[in-house]
Amino acid sequence: DQGQPPDEAALEGRDHVARALAQGRGVLLLTAHLGAFERLVRAPTICGARLWVVTRRFRVGGAQRAWSTLRAGGAGLLPAGASARASVAALRRNEAVAFVLDQHEPGRRAVVAPFFGRPAATSRDLARLARLTGAPVVPVFTWWDGARHRTEAQPAVGWDTAAPDAD
């Protein structure tokens, strides 16, 4: 199980992604460097939709090559900081775009929010893209449960449209 990418049947809560895609606006997947995140990246489709991952470029060439090799045959990669048009185009095609939100690009304006009682910075790009396109945001995480890797989607995140800055 460790070396295999998840397939549609292995995605627990896949109905959450399917319901989001049924709206016809694509789906934004919110994830983090939690557990076996790379399993999600190696999945070329999520519930029948092409998957794209917004990713930062590694500063060390060897790390970038390893990352590219790891995702070979899997999700497409969109470069962070230059992915807005490509993300919008993917969502218009009713595809999935994943953001790893436990990091932010240095030098870019970040949102700082409490995380386990400490301030943590993250990108505001996912929220902006969701507001712009109307695409639902579905949290998806992977982890090792002691016996196997699990990949699970949660219900779509709600928005308080009266408070766009808080969203």
Side-chain angles (χ1 to χ4, degrees), residues 65-127:
R65 283 188 298 281
W67 176 239
S68 296
T69 300
L70 175 67
R71 68 97 189 166
L77 298 182
L78 301 174
S83 62
R85 284 188 180 151
S87 295
V88 169
L91 295 170
R92 286 186 179 150
R93 292 187 305 265
N94 206 31
E95 296 174 346
V97 178
F99 280 78
V100 183
L101 282 187
D102 62 339
Q103 64 180 358
H104 81 281
E105 190 125 355
R108 297 194 63 191
R109 238 175 69 197
V111 173
V112 177
F115 183 72
F116 292 110
R118 297 183 145 194
T122 189
S123 170
R124 39 177 96 228
D125 294 343
L126 181 139

Side-chain angles (χ1 to χ4, degrees), residues 37 40-41 51-55 67 75-79 96-100:
F37 155 75
L40 177 63
V41 174
L51 174 64
W52 298 92
V53 177
V54 176
T55 182
W67 176 239
L77 298 182
L78 301 174
V97 178
F99 280 78
V100 183

Side-chain angles (χ1 to χ4, degrees), residues 3-19:
Q4 298 300 312
D7 60 21
E8 183 178 328
L11 176 64
E12 298 172 39
R14 69 179 176 268
D15 54 319
H16 299 301
V17 179
R19 274 197 294 278

